Amino acid sequence: MKKLISIVVPAYNEEAVLAAFHTRMSGVFDQLMDYRCEMIFVNDGSKDGTQAVIDGLANTDERVSTVTLSRNFGKEAAMTAGLDVAQGDAVAIFDADLQDPPELLLQFVAQWEAGYDVVYAKRCQRDGETWLKRATAHIFYRVIKKLSKVAIPPDTGDCRLMSRRVVQDLGRLREQHRFMKGLFAWVGYPSVAVSYRRDPRAAGHTKFNYWTLWNFALEGITSFTIAPLKLATYLGTIFAIGAFALGAWIILKTLIWGDPVRGYPSLIVTVLFLGGIQLFFVGILGEYLGRIFDETKGRPLYLLAQHRPSRIGTACAKQMTCHGESPLRSTT
Ligand code: UDP
Ligand code: MG
């Protein structure tokens, strides 16, 4: 039987662009005649007509599968849901808004057949994004590269193709705070990049503003490194040594010259400065503590309201793991 390639497409309020996506991706599928291909649309709790559009596509195209989450869980969870239900020998992720050109799939498949387990798309140019977004993205990738132990390739998004064993291993990582770029990197295996120009959004609006991007950056850093916690240790040590030296100097000065009481300004500056630093690190501790709190609850990553497999993918359908629980956890 021909190999199966599954494409996971997370969609949140994307009614305006899904038909265009389906048309373009179908064109690419037609060129991959030696494979069976399926598109898995994950409706991440959309409030517009997304469900109707993907239902319509599934009715007319046997290569379309739909997954509906019970509410909006966010792109990371939506991708995870898609990866969990995907049966493909290779599984690729594409944004619904055509920012990741579907034609990339041809190169992905060629590299996969050449023996790579992960083929990821690397942006060489970002059209339709402000300089501020590009600059902050640039800084973020550099910072995370310095801080994290696993090498997270810069300027790559979620768009990539993964072999079955990578998808399976990724499925074992069930953490609540899912910084997918980091999880992809953590899994490892032979990987290769394919350069592409990131197109502007075809229609609709971006779901990410600067506040969500900031939180995303925080997520990336706190889920992949404890460097900020260590910073407190070192800064604390430096301040303690400084304070000790200053104390010694003041004692000496008092013994030699005597000391009329002075120094209110320096005192208040020091107290406020140290107070600020302490609050800052209490905040960082809180970030980590909050994440531990979320993880200990062990809730499922998403809830499935409905899953309709594609007719092309059901031929080899296996028992599906429901509700985002780990396939491992449910069997042990
Ligand atoms: N998305 C999702 N759930 C969300 C937010 C976004 O499934 O809560 C999907 C969205 O439909 C799109 C992809 O994630 O397919 C990327 O979103 P978007 O284009 O808004 O992000 P950007 O490209 O601006 O970073
Ligand atoms: Mg986009």
Side-chain angles (χ1 to χ4, degrees), residues 14 95 97-99 129 198 201 205-208:
E14 301 285 9
D95 280 3
D97 58 3
L98 291 170
Q99 281 197 286
E129 287 179 353
R198 190 158 167 83
R201 211 173 215 288
H205 301 287
T206 175
K207 315 294 175 310
F208 295 96

Side-chain angles (χ1 to χ4, degrees), residues 7-204:
I7 310 296
V8 171
V9 188
Y12 176 52
N13 296 343
E14 301 285 9
E15 63 175 0
V17 75
L18 283 170
F21 178 90
H22 173 257
T23 310
R24 247 175 92 182
M25 193 49 104
S26 298
V28 176
F29 280 5
D30 293 339
Q31 295 177 53
L32 292 166
M33 280 177 302
D34 296 334
Y35 303 88
R36 288 175 301 137
C37 301
E38 61 167 355
M39 275 177 245
I40 302 172
F41 289 105
V42 184
N43 176 6
D44 185 16
S46 299
K47 296 182 179 59
D48 65 354
T50 296
Q51 187 64 39
V53 176
I54 60 176
D55 282 343
L57 292 173
N59 288 338
T60 54
D61 186 350
E62 60 172 12
R63 298 181 294 195
V64 171
S65 161
T66 66
V67 173
T68 310
L69 305 189
S70 64
R71 62 170 171 85
N72 179 248
F73 282 89
K75 183 184 178 189
E76 320 280 318
M79 283 191 288
T80 308
L83 291 175
D84 286 349
V85 303
Q87 311 279 323
D89 299 292
V91 184
I93 301 174
F94 279 83
D95 280 3
D97 58 3
L98 291 170
Q99 281 197 286
D100 311 319
E103 292 72 28
L104 271 175
L105 185 63
L106 300 172
Q107 281 166 277
F108 282 1
V109 172
Q111 296 285 13
W112 170 53
E113 289 293 4
Y116 289 101
D117 280 278
V118 180
V119 193
Y120 56 87
K122 190 171 161 64
R123 301 158 188 162
C124 55
Q125 198 168 342
R126 288 160 165 251
D127 288 342
E129 287 179 353
T130 60
W131 69 267
L132 188 61
K133 181 158 178 187
R134 272 178 282 149
T136 43
H138 181 87
I139 295 170
F140 169 70
Y141 283 117
R142 266 55 192 182
V143 170
I144 194 102
K145 187 174 174 198
K146 280 264 176 319
L147 293 181
S148 159
K149 281 202 189 92
V150 289
I152 296 173
D155 299 321
T156 48
D158 299 312
C159 180
R160 62 191 57 227
L161 176 139
M162 292 166 282
S163 66
R164 172 97 317 247
R165 62 173 177 176
V166 174
V167 175
Q168 230 138 25
D169 287 340
L170 202 59
R172 297 167 63 186
L173 310 181
R174 304 311 285 187
E175 53 221 69
Q176 299 283 325
H177 289 268
R178 303 183 76 69
F179 176 61
M180 290 300 271
K181 292 183 217 324
L183 299 184
F184 291 138
W186 187 89
V187 173
Y189 292 112
S191 310
V192 67
V194 169
S195 291
Y196 80 114
R197 260 178 80 128
R198 190 158 167 83
D199 295 328
R201 211 173 215 288

